[in-house]
Amino acid sequence: MLENVVEFFKNLPDKHCATCGDKIEEQSECYSNTCEHCESL
């Protein structure tokens, strides 16, 4: 059962910035949909 959960999270698609489309390096407890560069604009 635990293996299925781990595989689920490993197979999620990369998260992309809603503004510029660049890939976002996700961090735990992070629900942002913009990258650091676009957040500072």
Side-chain angles (χ1 to χ4, degrees), residues 2-41:
L2 182 60
E3 290 178 25
N4 292 338
V5 174
V6 171
E7 286 300 314
F8 171 79
F9 285 105
K10 286 169 80 175
N11 292 324
L12 285 174
D14 292 335
K15 190 172 183 179
H16 290 27
C17 177
T19 304
C20 69
D22 285 347
K23 181 181 170 192
I24 298 174
E25 288 296 325
E26 296 186 63
Q27 300 174 352
S28 67
E29 309 263 336
C30 179
Y31 300 102
S32 175
N33 64 350
T34 55
C35 65
E36 291 179 13
H37 174 73
C38 291
E39 285 178 354
S40 65
L41 295 178

